[in-house]
Amino acid sequence: MSSIAQRKDTAKYHAILESAIKVMAVSGYHGAQVARIAREAGVADGTVYLYFKNKEDILISVLRETIAQIVMLSTWLEGEHPEPLMALHKLIEGHFATLGRNPDLALVLQVHVRQSDPVIREQVADMMRPYHRMIDRILVLGQETGAFRQPFDVRIARRMIFGTIDETVNAWIFTGAKYNLAAQTDLVYDMLLNGIGWRVELSAEM
Amino acid sequence: MSSIAQRKDTAKYHAILESAIKVMAVSGYHGAQVARIAREAGVADGTVYLYFKNKEDILISVLRETIAQIVMLSTWLEGEHPEPLMALHKLIEGHFATLGRNPDLALVLQVHVRQSDPVIREQVADMMRPYHRMIDRILVLGQETGAFRQPFDVRIARRMIFGTIDETVNAWIFTGAKYNLAAQTDLVYDMLLNGIGWRVELSAEM
Amino acid sequence: MSSIAQRKDTAKYHAILESAIKVMAVSGYHGAQVARIAREAGVADGTVYLYFKNKEDILISVLRETIAQIVMLSTWLEGEHPEPLMALHKLIEGHFATLGRNPDLALVLQVHVRQSDPVIREQVADMMRPYHRMIDRILVLGQETGAFRQPFDVRIARRMIFGTIDETVNAWIFTGAKYNLAAQTDLVYDMLLNGIGWRVELSAEM
Amino acid sequence: MSSIAQRKDTAKYHAILESAIKVMAVSGYHGAQVARIAREAGVADGTVYLYFKNKEDILISVLRETIAQIVMLSTWLEGEHPEPLMALHKLIEGHFATLGRNPDLALVLQVHVRQSDPVIREQVADMMRPYHRMIDRILVLGQETGAFRQPFDVRIARRMIFGTIDETVNAWIFTGAKYNLAAQTDLVYDMLLNGIGWRVELSAEM
DNA sequence: AATGAATGAGGTTTCATTCAT
DNA sequence: GATGAATGAAACCTCATTCAT
């Protein structure tokens, strides 16, 4: 009479999760049949339901585990209290490193999540919230300490940061995940910091 | 003996397309039942198949019509030959205006496209290519004419621009498309141009 | 307010009938779409229903017209009163000639009829009855006049005659209707008359 | 992870097959709905697809199993090496006995096979080929040993034999399969051997 | 008489989920 | 805990037939 929750740390639980990532990476969420996930994991169809409530629960679990890794950055950066420029660099690097290490998982996260029920999207948004909050904190701190230029909208900046990271990962996935994603860190970091324009008003200030 | 191709400009064709956008916005591609699309359009199930080859054809048509509008910006900007800064501003504005006018369609484009078959994603990528090319051209021209700062990777910059626009639209959709998307143009434009950092190296150059 | 019955002799009626034979020959009864029959006949879908009650009616009409030709042999032979051996030869020859002239129609009659509803099969049987009767009459007359050997079961003989003709046509169709069907007449006639065995009991009788 | 192939000898496989024969006998191939076959077999619709690839596979399996029984005659006769006259008698008897035992199956084989896709007809032809070959061998051997009269075309004779058997079965089915089919063996055998005519050329030989 | 756009019932097939073993 | 055969709801799509023009 053990509940699903109590089985989360078994080897089989993780085998199914890994298998789900693999299958979903190839076929997407809707294309991923439970039977194939089970076979890939080397268990019977029914066994899947001993560890997960239903198919949606598998997807959410996959996302939770993945996002957890990314969100861990928040916690880590939180504890380290690095100065904002460094924090931004670490953030980008960590994000790229995490997904770069596991292309299948990146594919699921970037591409296949954004489908399925609004329910799932809502949950993903919830899970991402700490991450967004952390970006916001870095930005605010940077503005306060003078590490970043003063007058800009934090939300717009956060969307630029997140959107750029996202699109960089997408491009990497789309071209087949062939190059080293983390190696893009410096280029992206520089781009976000400096934008594409001259800083005429800056020279005026001097 | 009229083929599907010959029926593309009828009122019913557009009614079904509109209805498909509406239903897909709510339920996603897989969740959108042909029967519901038909009912919403006020036609019989079978009628849908007089205008579209199959369900996938509906989605692709939705995307084609939408992306066409956005890509039209390419053509327009091409003809106008505006200077790069202006071109970038027009691009952002046009993108926001087009999607801002039709939130449902934006939802389909932003969220639901990225699922389904790789075939569809490939087609979307094909349709977006002229758009990406145009951004590249603007960037290159801007660097040549000195409108943009010199040393940056064009691809990275393009991903930042596209990613930021994308994420801005996502945020707008996710909050329920309640505010005016086009009104964000200046803020985003400024952000992309200037980044978030001081331009210390610029002062060094003086 | 003219009924379907009154339109049977128009050019369009026959155009549709010809077209139906062609399409059914290729696709079978179930595979033959009314729309394709209409297109092949150069009329609109709806027009078909001005000349035929429904799809089944088309098939039955096709069969009626064809079988009519074969059954006409009955009438003709009836009128001629040829002696039995000659009558049998004429019968085989006429059957082969009629179908040999129109392979499409033969295909429909031999292969595709035997499907669809029992209702249709019943009707075909009804239409074939005069033909069977005629064979029976030839056989009985032949036995009475001494043209055929005495002791054999007329029904069995009739089935042999009909079955052999049928199978000969089938073989001809199956190999692509490439050779001259009517040219088989003498061989089949001889076979039916003499069987495959020696006639030992005959020599005993002498 | 059991494939369809591995389930062919289960009770359920045969239950579905029997049920398919029954339903097809009544309604024909196209009229036989998978749902009705499933209900008749006492299983759920989906279960059918655990044992058969699709509806066409059911039909082909029905045919394979049946024709296999008839073709088994070939093998048996092959092994026995009976003299030709005996072989022919056994052949007719075996054919009638096999179909006579299972009228539904006979109906499917005789009537409903000949429809549907050319693909299926081709397959049936393939399955029947050994049977036809065997008839040919009997005929050739009979001619060589002098059991049959010398000059006749083997193919024509084979068609007469097969066509007569076929038509006899058809007649039996059409009248409701009320009498004993196998009891017709001697009559048909005699008919095929002797034909319907006197053997004038034979008496001339004497 | 002729058209052909529209209809909608109906059938095959898939696949997440269950439950007896 | 584990299995996997069985379930059956649900969805796409076809196509004979109708009817307003």
Side-chain angles (χ1 to χ4, degrees):
Chain A
M1 192 87 45
S2 43
S3 78
I4 286 177
Q6 294 171 329
R7 301 193 190 170
K8 283 208 170 174
D9 273 333
T10 64
K12 234 161 230 183
Y13 174 83
H14 287 288
I16 295 169
L17 223 48
E18 295 299 317
S19 156
I21 292 170
K22 243 182 269 180
V23 176
M24 285 183 188
V26 176
S27 317
Y29 173 66
H30 281 105
Q33 300 163 219
V34 174
R36 232 188 313 171
I37 293 173
R39 185 167 7 125
E40 183 86 22
V43 301
D45 295 18
T47 305
V48 171
Y49 290 85
L50 295 175
Y51 294 90
F52 300 91
K53 202 152 51 73
N54 50 35
K55 189 178 166 181
E56 191 178 302
D57 188 33
I58 302 176
L59 177 62
I60 291 182
S61 301
V62 167
L63 299 178
R64 195 176 18 236
E65 305 267 317
T66 319
I67 295 177
Q69 288 190 53
I70 292 186
V71 169
M72 255 193 305
L73 288 170
S74 319
T75 326
W76 183 82
L77 286 173
E78 211 81 358
E80 290 289 312
H81 286 301
E83 56 94 14
L85 284 169
M86 175 67 84
L88 180 62
H89 194 277
K90 287 278 183 207
L91 178 89
I92 300 168
E93 190 177 39
H95 196 134
F96 285 169
T98 304
L99 296 187
R101 223 176 292 131
N102 197 341
D104 280 345
L105 197 142
L107 188 54
V108 172
L109 193 61
Q110 295 294 117
V111 177
H112 297 306
V113 167
R114 325 200 167 183
Q115 61 189 291
S116 64
D117 300 37
V119 185
I120 291 181
R121 287 204 303 281
E122 193 88 28
Q123 297 204 35
V124 171
D126 279 350
M127 293 189 269
M128 290 304 280
R129 203 148 295 152
Y131 192 64
H132 285 154
R133 289 265 165 70
M134 181 194 51
I135 300 182
D136 284 356
R137 269 197 302 274
I138 293 175
L139 288 169
V140 169
L141 185 67
Q143 283 191 324
E144 286 170 3
T145 61
F148 300 146
R149 69 182 173 96
Q150 215 65 61
F152 64 71
D153 187 305
V154 167
R155 271 173 322 169
I156 301 284
R158 183 230 296 154
R159 284 172 202 155
M160 180 175 73
I161 293 171
F162 193 76
T164 304
I165 291 176
D166 210 58
E167 185 68 16
T168 305
V169 176
N170 273 338
W172 171 73
I173 288 172
F174 198 79
T175 55
K178 295 211 190 78
Y179 52 89
N180 184 347
L181 183 57
Q184 306 273 304
T185 304
D186 287 345
L187 284 172
V188 169
Y189 171 77
D190 173 71
M191 201 83 241
L192 290 171
L193 233 47
N194 298 320
I196 60 173
W198 296 110
R199 291 295 287 288
V200 277
E201 76 279 20
L202 186 61
S203 50
E205 276 179 88
M206 303 236 88
Chain B
M1 209 193 311
S2 40
S3 75
I4 287 178
Q6 293 170 332
R7 298 193 190 175
K8 285 210 166 171
D9 271 333
T10 65
K12 223 157 244 182
Y13 173 82
H14 288 289
I16 295 170
L17 220 51
E18 295 300 317
S19 156
I21 292 169
K22 240 181 270 179
V23 176
M24 284 182 190
V26 175
S27 318
Y29 172 66
H30 282 105
Q33 302 165 215
V34 174
R36 234 188 310 170
I37 294 174
R39 181 155 22 106
E40 182 85 23
V43 300
D45 293 20
T47 305
V48 171
Y49 292 87
L50 294 177
Y51 294 91
F52 299 91
K53 205 153 48 70
N54 50 37
K55 191 179 164 181
E56 189 178 305
D57 188 33
I58 303 176
L59 176 62
I60 290 182
S61 300
V62 167
L63 299 179
R64 195 178 15 237
E65 306 265 317
T66 319
I67 294 178
Q69 288 190 53
I70 292 185
V71 169
M72 255 194 304
L73 287 170
S74 318
T75 325
W76 183 83
L77 287 173
E78 208 82 358
E80 289 291 311
H81 287 301
E83 56 94 14
L85 285 169
M86 173 70 84
L88 180 63
H89 194 276
K90 287 278 185 207
L91 179 89
I92 300 167
E93 190 177 39
H95 197 132
F96 285 169
T98 303
L99 296 187
R101 225 176 289 131
N102 196 340
D104 280 343
L105 198 143
L107 187 53
V108 172
L109 192 62
Q110 296 294 118
V111 177
H112 297 305
V113 166
R114 324 197 171 185
Q115 63 184 296
S116 64
D117 299 38
V119 186
I120 292 181
R121 286 203 305 278
E122 195 87 26
Q123 295 202 36
V124 171
D126 279 350
M127 294 190 270
M128 289 305 278
R129 203 149 294 152
Y131 192 64
H132 285 153
R133 291 263 165 71
M134 184 194 46
I135 300 182
D136 285 356
R137 269 198 301 275
I138 294 175
L139 288 169
V140 169
L141 186 67
Q143 284 190 321
E144 286 170 1
T145 61
F148 300 147
R149 70 183 173 95
Q150 217 66 59
F152 64 71
D153 187 305
V154 168
R155 273 174 319 170
I156 302 284
R158 185 228 295 153
R159 286 173 199 154
M160 180 175 73
I161 294 173
F162 194 77
T164 305
I165 291 177
D166 212 59
E167 185 66 17
T168 306
V169 175
N170 274 337
W172 171 74
I173 288 171
F174 198 79
T175 55
K178 295 213 189 77
Y179 52 90
N180 184 348
L181 183 58
Q184 306 273 304
T185 304
D186 286 345
L187 284 172
V188 170
Y189 171 77
D190 173 71
M191 201 82 241
L192 289 172
L193 232 46
N194 298 319
I196 60 173
W198 296 109
R199 293 293 287 288
V200 278
E201 76 279 19
L202 186 61
S203 50
E205 277 178 295
M206 305 231 86
Chain C
M1 193 83 47
S2 42
S3 77
I4 287 177
Q6 294 170 329
R7 299 192 193 171
K8 285 208 169 172
D9 272 333
T10 65
K12 233 161 232 182
Y13 174 83
H14 287 289
I16 295 170
L17 222 49
E18 294 299 316
S19 157
I21 292 169
K22 243 182 268 180
V23 176
M24 285 182 188
V26 175
S27 317
Y29 173 65
H30 282 106
Q33 300 164 219
V34 174
R36 230 187 315 170
I37 293 173
R39 183 162 13 119
E40 183 87 21
V43 301
D45 295 17
T47 305
V48 171
Y49 290 85
L50 296 174
Y51 294 91
F52 299 90
K53 202 152 52 70
N54 51 35
K55 190 178 166 181
E56 190 177 303
D57 188 33
I58 303 176
L59 177 62
I60 291 181
S61 300
V62 167
L63 299 179
R64 194 175 20 234
E65 305 266 317
T66 319
I67 295 177
Q69 288 190 52
I70 292 184
V71 169
M72 254 195 304
L73 287 169
S74 318
T75 326
W76 183 82
L77 287 173
E78 209 84 359
E80 288 290 310
H81 286 301
E83 55 96 12
L85 285 169
M86 173 69 84
L88 179 64
H89 195 277
K90 287 277 182 207
L91 178 90
I92 300 168
E93 189 177 39
H95 197 132
F96 285 170
T98 303
L99 296 187
R101 224 176 290 131
N102 197 340
D104 279 346
L105 197 143
L107 188 53
V108 172
L109 192 62
Q110 296 294 118
V111 178
H112 297 306
V113 167
R114 323 197 171 187
Q115 63 188 290
S116 63
D117 300 35
V119 185
I120 291 181
R121 287 204 304 280
E122 193 88 28
Q123 296 203 34
V124 171
D126 279 350
M127 293 189 269
M128 290 305 280
R129 203 147 296 152
Y131 192 65
H132 285 153
R133 290 264 166 70
M134 182 193 51
I135 300 182
D136 285 356
R137 268 196 302 275
I138 293 175
L139 288 169
V140 169
L141 186 67
Q143 284 190 321
E144 287 170 1
T145 61
F148 299 147
R149 70 183 173 95
Q150 215 66 59
F152 64 70
D153 187 305
V154 169
R155 272 173 320 170
I156 302 283
R158 185 229 296 153
R159 285 172 201 155
M160 179 174 74
I161 294 172
F162 193 76
T164 304
I165 291 177
D166 210 58
E167 185 66 17
T168 305
V169 176
N170 273 337
W172 172 73
I173 288 172
F174 197 80
T175 56
K178 295 212 189 79
Y179 52 87
N180 184 348
L181 183 58
Q184 306 273 304
T185 304
D186 287 345
L187 284 172
V188 169
Y189 171 77
D190 173 71
M191 200 84 241
L192 290 170
L193 232 47
N194 298 320
I196 59 174
W198 297 109
R199 291 294 287 288
V200 278
E201 77 279 19
L202 186 60
S203 51
E205 279 178 278
M206 303 231 85
Chain D
M1 208 194 309
S2 40
S3 75
I4 287 178
Q6 293 170 331
R7 298 193 189 176
K8 284 210 167 171
D9 269 332
T10 65
K12 225 158 243 183
Y13 173 82
H14 288 288
I16 295 170
L17 220 50
E18 295 300 317
S19 156
I21 292 170
K22 241 182 268 179
V23 176
M24 284 182 189
V26 176
S27 317
Y29 173 67
H30 282 105
Q33 301 164 216
V34 174
R36 234 186 311 169
I37 294 173
R39 180 154 23 105
E40 182 85 22
V43 300
D45 294 18
T47 305
V48 172
Y49 290 87
L50 293 177
Y51 295 90
F52 299 91
K53 205 153 50 68
N54 51 35
K55 190 178 165 181
E56 189 177 305
D57 189 33
I58 303 176
L59 177 62
I60 291 183
S61 300
V62 167
L63 300 179
R64 198 181 11 239
E65 305 267 316
T66 319
I67 295 177
Q69 288 191 51
I70 292 185
V71 168
M72 253 193 306
L73 288 171
S74 317
T75 325
W76 184 82
L77 287 173
E78 208 83 356
E80 290 290 310
H81 287 301
E83 56 94 14
L85 285 168
M86 174 69 85
L88 180 64
H89 194 276
K90 286 280 184 204
L91 178 90
I92 299 168
E93 189 176 38
H95 196 132
F96 285 170
T98 304
L99 296 187
R101 225 175 289 130
N102 197 340
D104 281 342
L105 198 143
L107 188 53
V108 172
L109 192 62
Q110 295 294 116
V111 177
H112 297 304
V113 166
R114 325 200 170 183
Q115 62 184 297
S116 66
D117 298 39
V119 184
I120 293 180
R121 285 204 304 280
E122 195 87 27
Q123 295 202 34
V124 171
D126 279 350
M127 292 189 272
M128 289 304 278
R129 203 148 295 153
Y131 192 64
H132 285 153
R133 289 264 165 72
M134 183 194 48
I135 300 183
D136 285 356
R137 267 196 303 274
I138 294 175
L139 288 170
V140 168
L141 186 68
Q143 284 192 321
E144 287 169 1
T145 61
F148 300 147
R149 68 181 173 98
Q150 215 66 57
F152 63 71
D153 187 305
V154 168
R155 274 173 320 170
I156 301 284
R158 183 228 297 154
R159 286 173 200 153
M160 179 175 74
I161 294 171
F162 193 77
T164 304
I165 291 176
D166 210 59
E167 185 66 17
T168 305
V169 175
N170 274 337
W172 172 73
I173 288 171
F174 198 80
T175 57
K178 297 212 189 77
Y179 52 88
N180 184 349
L181 182 57
Q184 306 272 304
T185 303
D186 287 344
L187 284 172
V188 170
Y189 170 76
D190 173 71
M191 202 81 241
L192 289 171
L193 231 47
N194 297 321
I196 59 173
W198 295 109
R199 292 297 287 289
V200 275
E201 73 278 20
L202 186 63
S203 51
E205 278 179 84
M206 304 233 85

